[in-house]
Amino acid sequence: MKLTIILLIATFLQVSAASYGQKVNLKVKEATLENVLKEIKAQTGFNILYNTNALKDAKLISLDLKNATLDDALKKSFEGQAVTFLIEQKTIIVKKKPATAGAMEVKPGNLKITVTGTVRDSLGTLPGVTIKIKGTSLGTKTDENGKFILDVPNDNAVLVFSFVSYLSQEVPVSGKNVINVLLKPDKKSLSEVVVVAFGTQKKTDMVGSVTSIKMSDLKIPSSNLTTALAGRAAGLIAYQRSGEPGKDNADFFIRGVTTFGYKNNPLILIDGMELSTTDLARLQPDDIASFSILKDATSTAVYGARGANGVILVTTKQGKVGKAQIAFRLENSISTSVRDIELADPVTYMKQSNEAILTRNPLGVTLYSDEKIANTAAGLNPIIYPANDWRKEIFKNYTMNQRANLNVSGGGDVAKYFISGSLNKDNGMLKVDHRNNFNNNIDLTSYSLRSNITINLTKTTEMIVRLSGNFDDYTGPLDGGAGMYNKVVHSNPVLFPEYYPVDADHAFVKHIMYGNYDQGGYTNPYADLTRGYMNSSRSLMLAQLEAKQDLSSVIDGLSFRVMMNTNRTSYFDVRRTYNPYFYTLTGYNPDANTYSIKNINEPSATEYLDYTQGDRILSSTFYTESMLNYNHQFKKHGFSGLLVYMLQNNVSANAPDLQQSLPFRNIGLSGRATYNYDSRYYLEYNFGYNGSERFSAKHRFGYFPSAGFAWSISNEKFFEQIKPVVNNLRLRATYGFIGNDAIGSPSDRFFYLSNVDMNAGGRGATFGNGQGAGTSLNGVNITRYANDDITWERSTKANLALEVGLFNKLKLTAEVYSEKRKNILMSRASIPVTMGLTADVRSNVGEASGKGVDLSVDYQQNIGKDLWFSATGNFTFARSKFTVYEEPVYDEKYRSRIGHSIYQQYGYIAERLFVDDAEAANSPRQNFGPYGGGDIKYTDVNRDGQITAADMVPIGNPTLPEIVYGFGFSMGYKSFDLSAFFQGLGNESFWIDANATSPFNNQTQLLKAYADSHWSEDFRDVYALWPRLSPDINNNNNQTSTWFMRDGSFLRLKQVELGYKLPQGLQQRLHLSNFRIYLNASNLLNFSKFKLWDVEMGGNGLGYPIQRVFNIGLNMSLR
Amino acid sequence: MVFLAVLSSCKKFLDVVPDNVATIDNAFTMRTQAMKFLFTCYSFMPKNGQLADDPAMVGGDELWEIPERGAFLDMAKGFQSKVGPLGDRFQVMYQGIRDCNIFLENIGKVPDMQETERRRWISEVKFLKAYYHFILVRMYGPIPLVKTNLPISADVNQVKVFRDPVDSCFRYIAQLLDEAAPALPLTIISPSTEAGRITRPIALSLRAKVMVTAASPLFNGNSDQASLKNGNGTQLFNINYSKAKWDSAATACKKAIDACTDAGMKLYVYNPSFQQFDLTDMIKTQLSIRNAVTEKWNSEIIWANTQSNTVGLQQLISSWWDPLYLDGVITKGELSPPLKIAEMFYTENGVPIDEDKTWDYAGRYALRTAMDADKLYIRKGYITAALHFNREPRFYADLGFDGGVYYGQGRFDDKKYMDLFYLESKFKQRNGEGKYGANTVTGYNLKKLINFQNTINSSNDYSVVDYPYPIMRLADLYLLYAEALNESTGPSPEVNKYIDLVRQRAGLGSVAASWTNYSTNPAKFQNQDGMREIIHQERLIELAFESQRLWDLRRWKESSKELNNPIKGWDLSQTTPISYYRVTVIYNQTFGLKDYFWPIAEENITDNRNLVQNLGW
């Protein structure tokens, strides 16, 4: 296998270097004209255009030329030949001499006239354009410089120029020898070539379900591409939970989640390389040529085992022949939190802290004296009576981010290139103490460099080298941004100031005198923020070599392609910290308003930075695929076939045990066959045959076939009448099987082997003369029992789609799908603990199903010359449910998960708060710890007089949204354009984290909302937001219940953009092909019932808020 | 074709697993590997004395804890529930039993072992299998016995086992211990590497305890549990009382005592070969009492748990006795004996405080100033409750209290009695409430489990002499024997002999002499019921704070009496003696019939409907 690859590379690498010059040296004897011309081409760099047939009968030539001019050399070579030449731009065109045309005829018919020409579009020449003589099968294609030569029978012939995504043009010859054509892009079908697995398909030929996202939709004011996805494509469920630079990846799923294994997100392929979500996040929209989402069985089948959760397929741009084009984008944005959590003021905090203690224990000792509360409220000496607004002391109100991208593309007939570089700088919202000379704010600078080079080795051989690197340099606080938000909420606001000012006694100290209290065990978030910083560095290097060989000379329409790539990811972080000096107040003289402070951690505090190593993560992937492709059109029958062999190997340096250190491997053979008849009926068959190393030999390979059918009704004869109204009507249906080998957990490598830890610390024992001395041995722990029957998760998918086009303006696509997963790996529930197993016994017993609808609508209209308008909308509904789930036989039917969503939560039904202790004592016993009046009253669903797990019922919507939608419009008038995009989601529930927000527990702050609405002895509001206060966590109240359940649905104005383009004329004078400045903003408006924090963050509201961004940008292209 | 050829050749590509990946068979290929598995079997031993793992520390009424620590205190407060039972061991003990069975199935395969050693290991593992079953029975009552392992692939109905009746459970445990005893060594030959491994005295002592437990009221004719039946009708408790159980328990105890004697064990008495200071008998007696527990491997330790380190526990219970280091953060001053425990100890005459003719029971909460005679127990001149005066040495050895002297901990010369440490426990005093952090919640501190040589060297340096937590010591066995014999044959000199041995070491007179001379009920020791009471109280005092009281009260069915009283202490928020020494209720404890046994977790029952829930849950 390896040998084959090496041989292939060797062949492709035999590129002869050509020297260029205007002078020709020729010494040939009895050479064919073709060879002589090739030599001339090699020496001069001129292109030569000819019909092979025309040269077949040319005379042999003997010449001896030294330093001859090109013209001379050609004249000598063409002496006495039946053909002649002409030179046009750097091309030598060989054509028949009109006089001898008749005598030399070999082709069928009367080929009398030789027509040459160049085909261009608005940007440059177009290679590969098909030129046909109307009504015949005769024709040719333009070469890499867009030039063609064709012999036509007579003046009446009509040439048809056609090219994918361009409008076809018919040009009558009418005596012309040179026909130059400017092809106009077909606006309607420009986006209609869709990148599919291992190739492209015309949208009008599609059978499978593939959605593509326009690049312009991905350009949002964020350096994280994944945050642009929500609401942009039908079939994609996406949401974002955090706004922290570097940790703001959105979660996204194709058509929801129908499995309960660990791998439920789509396979991401960038130029055919399998990469991670973060790698996708760092991709620059400017570099992307296409972005496709493969949803159903036929479109993903060729990925076999890897594609069960859908596939995201991204290709990057390639250079085009022509002058270098330079495009440049520069953006600067201001970002601020969409919504911050509101905390109660320090005085309320103290009052209610006292209330919390006394309401639970009337004899309890309160923490804050009336005097302290009164003096704090009066704003007396803030050193003595601190009242910290930690959030203001830690966070800025806004931050600035910059993004820049530069790319250059172009090429000639030997090579084409696309090179791009970008720099994104994202800053956090944290403050920096300038007494330290380091930056503890988040600064994520990410660079990327990409180079895609296409080399034409021969006329039929093409080699593509893609090299790209992505580098993140991160500096940030030790606890991370989300960690700091969390600390603010969990720090006492009234015990000490952030730091003490330097006083006379401490004039000599060089350190910051951070505040703390008592023994110093309290969290001072400001100290934690400024005591050091973390640096991390992540790099991803990708190298890819691809070679394409056109085998048309063997079989017409056959081509071969081999691609191999490797990527290396490395990550490390280091932390540099000092141990802050904490001071506490030791004396206060109210009369003189003087105080003294003392250090409380002298022995352990340091003024100098210390260093700790962090993670070091390294991984390496190698992937190769070889592909045979066949395309043939025979009259009305179109055939295509594809056969791919692929192989993947991943290794990682950070394995916790031997089994995980072994390489991760995958091999597969996949194929596709399509047939269409008269652009009306389409059939497609796909298969994937895949092997995974995770399963025992007998289950190692899986075969996943799928088939589909499409009918373009609008291409039927009988439809002609309706076409002006319904310009497109198409039905598609697919059905097939897909596998998933990423089951269980990533640490479960080989299900057919038991996993035994022969050195388990937790199972060790010590003997001997007391501890420390003696014999200590670690023990043996079984963490997995072998089961060689475990195999693929298997998914059966069906898809039905309807495409409608109306008035050439409105496009509608509606798809319904269903999916059935079986063989989902799950733990056997029927094994009682008396078996004494130390690990779950698992097998492929689970089954789940999913169904849903994807809808998308596009509308486009030009009004007059200057005004255009377009609108788009899409809607995704995806619902999953368990169909087979191994669970105990419950007495209570409602406990069964079967029939419920995979993300359905179970919890108690909270009726209200208990009015008083007496009611609590006389209600069914709640088994979670002490409770009384003002605590949550749960419903005893099974009426056994106790609240136990048997009273948990499915509550709320799934935690994964079932509905995601987006809609927006764009319009332009002359040089201005305006667009707006709304996005929303629905059918999602989340839970306020009662443990994390429980006020006073571990110095947790009091949310203002809780301060304003809780049960108190004076005001017994049984429907208050928060139950009776408590100084610590009340386990009765923090159970998963309907009390803290909230509706996660929202609608937001995700993006608005206003742009201005310099007028064409001005642009040309400035040698620009594009100059646009724009203003945009994201997350401007939110519509949601939930007000405590940004609803999209779900239960994680104490983290780094999602950002609202205002951005100004400039786009410029030079040519 | 080419592709297919390549594909088949590449099937090998997926064979990434090298041949020698560890499987369970690797554990029995060599002696050294098998030894790991032996240790694995030991690893399931509950860590006695550790708050998180030992319900008998704060799960009953012997020690009260500051509320924030949670843990088993919730059980003591009555928050046990079948939804995630506190301290549930149902799963982990069966895991231990499964590993024991795996060991027993495979140990025969190990080639490079001598037969004597193989028999010893087999016996140790049989012992552990018995011990794990016993732990379950003590907690849950009747349990499913797992004599052999069921295969992983066992049929669903096969794995849904029933609970076995308690009599079968005890019979099986005793049988395993019988099988284990003969091949175990009498003593550990190499204590530096093997101390803590099972010996014959350990096996026989556990057998004695198992038999006594089986004969005790909770399991012997407990008609409260009459309605606990399996779904198939099997009665799980034998409701007929059987005296024969006590007979065989007594025999088992005697056999264990004999084995201990053969092994050279005797009650510990403080008598060091080198003595820096000439100590008074008072202090020597105190050290005999304290060191019997805290001196590792002393002469009366039958079985100590080398898996349970006591450094953390000693830090937790040590208070800020050294006035130099009041801001120490390592000592925690937690775990507080309630007032009733302080009242449980005898008077200096060796009889209960409410029976002593010479002791003012009614005036026990009045204030009294410590005089010269009290100076080694209570700081001279200190005003404290009368309750703290004229008590038996075990009171002063076990408890710290306001004004109580803390002998040792760096101050060893008892002549310089004013140098000795003592506690001050009133509000905002160094051992009282009002300091930040933890403190006593009753007014008492636990002293017994602190080694007397521990010293506080600085605010954050506390040197602790570690010892493995004792599971069984000779005094325990003597009192079990006395108890069984009294139940079996009634009072006899043999019964008195073993109680008196324990009392003698604690500096008290014999039962006969003490009761005859001082008790208001002088003939109490002459009848079986009176003697039973005496033995019970003697046992609770002698083994106080050693994780025994919770189990003893349960097996005697006395929890519902003892644990239905409020937990009391002094009024800690007071600064003057007069207001501090007022009895304050800390918690109203309740104990119902259901609380004698742990609930089986609800989920275990939904997984196996053949398991019936314990009564009342």
Side-chain angles (χ1 to χ4, degrees), chain A residues 669-906:
Chain A
L669 177 69
S670 301
R672 174 162 64 212
T674 69
Y675 167 75
N676 79 69
Y677 176 72
D678 195 23
S679 298
R680 282 186 286 156
Y681 308 105
Y682 300 83
L683 284 174
E684 183 169 330
Y685 169 79
N686 292 281
F687 75 91
Y689 181 68
N690 276 79
S692 165
E693 87 291 1
R694 303 183 84 192
F695 308 122
S696 69
K698 60 179 174 174
H699 293 296
R700 202 160 274 176
F701 283 83
Y703 176 66
F704 307 104
S706 70
F709 158 79
W711 180 26
S712 290
I713 307 170
S714 51
N715 288 350
E716 293 283 356
K717 276 230 163 59
F718 63 79
F719 210 81
E720 294 286 329
Q721 300 287 321
I722 321 168
K723 244 188 159 168
V725 181
V726 183
N727 60 299
N728 180 29
L729 183 64
R730 204 156 184 271
L731 275 176
R732 295 186 270 120
T734 66
Y735 183 83
F737 307 95
I738 305 288
N740 183 11
D741 70 332
I743 57 174
S745 75
S747 56
D748 286 322
R749 289 299 309 283
F750 310 105
F751 294 101
Y752 59 97
L753 294 177
S754 59
N755 202 357
V756 177
D757 184 353
M758 291 292 291
N759 196 22
R763 289 273 76 94
T766 304
F767 299 104
N769 210 2
Q771 281 71 33
T775 309
S776 222
L777 274 186
N778 284 343
V780 178
N781 190 27
I782 303 177
T783 53
R784 183 177 61 237
Y785 295 101
N787 182 348
D788 62 3
D789 284 330
I790 288 178
T791 184
W792 308 89
E793 183 178 305
R794 215 172 159 85
S795 164
T796 309
K797 296 186 179 189
N799 191 63
L800 198 62
L802 173 71
E803 292 171 20
V804 182
L806 296 174
F807 305 107
N808 266 322
K809 284 180 183 145
L810 186 69
K811 276 189 290 187
L812 263 169
T813 307
E815 305 197 35
V816 290
Y817 71 89
S818 77
E819 176 174 3
K820 285 196 169 61
R821 286 271 175 122
K822 34 178 221 180
N823 288 358
I824 301 175
L825 188 73
M826 64 178 297
S827 300
R828 304 302 304 261
S830 54
I831 299 177
V833 291
T834 47
M835 277 288 276
L837 303 183
T838 45
D840 287 342
V841 173
R842 289 177 300 178
S843 61
N844 298 99
V845 289
E847 288 181 24
S849 71
K851 60 182 175 202
V853 179
D854 307 343
L855 290 176
S856 65
V857 188
D858 281 287
Y859 178 79
Q860 232 167 1
Q861 167 120 39
N862 292 332
I863 305 159
K865 203 165 69 86
D866 295 327
L867 182 65
W868 58 269
F869 176 83
S870 74
T872 171
N874 69 74
F875 173 88
T876 305
F877 170 79
R879 170 168 284 173
S880 67
K881 70 177 185 200
F882 289 107
T883 46
V884 174
Y885 186 79
E886 200 174 280
E887 57 195 358
V889 185
Y890 292 119
D891 287 340
E892 301 84 4
K893 284 248 162 25
Y894 53 79
R895 295 182 72 183
S896 171
R897 291 194 166 266
I898 292 167
H900 290 288
S901 163
I902 290 166
Y903 286 82
Q904 178 67 55
Q905 290 293 300
Y906 282 69

Side-chain angles (χ1 to χ4, degrees), chain A residues 344-372:
Chain A
D345 63 89
V347 173
T348 310
Y349 174 86
M350 288 190 279
K351 284 182 180 161
Q352 297 199 1
S353 163
N354 288 353
E355 179 189 333
I357 290 169
L358 294 177
T359 189
R360 293 288 172 181
N361 175 11
L363 297 175
V365 181
T366 58
L367 298 174
Y368 309 106
S369 65
D370 292 345
E371 172 240 342
K372 180 175 170 73

Side-chain angles (χ1 to χ4, degrees), chain A residues 86 189 364 367 374 449 464 497 531 638 641 722 806 826 839 850 853 891 893 912 964 1001 1042 1094:
Chain A
L86 84 142
S189 65
L367 298 174
L449 187 67
I464 305 171
R531 62 189 286 241
I722 321 168
L806 296 174
M826 64 178 297
V853 179
D891 287 340
K893 284 248 162 25
R912 53 178 170 79
V964 170
N1001 172 57
T1042 53
D1094 187 89

Side-chain angles (χ1 to χ4, degrees), chain B residues 231 426 542:
Chain B
K426 289 186 274 295
E542 175 62 26

Side-chain angles (χ1 to χ4, degrees), chain A residues 519 603, chain B residues 315 319-331 409 421 454-464:
Chain A
Q519 311 289 332
Chain B
Q315 287 172 348
S319 192
W320 297 266
W321 52 68
D322 192 333
L324 280 181
Y325 306 116
L326 295 185
D327 52 353
V329 288
I330 295 176
T331 49
Q409 328 307 153
F421 293 125
N454 294 355
T455 49
I456 297 177
N457 305 319
S458 77
S459 292
N460 45 23
D461 179 10
Y462 175 39
S463 66
V464 176

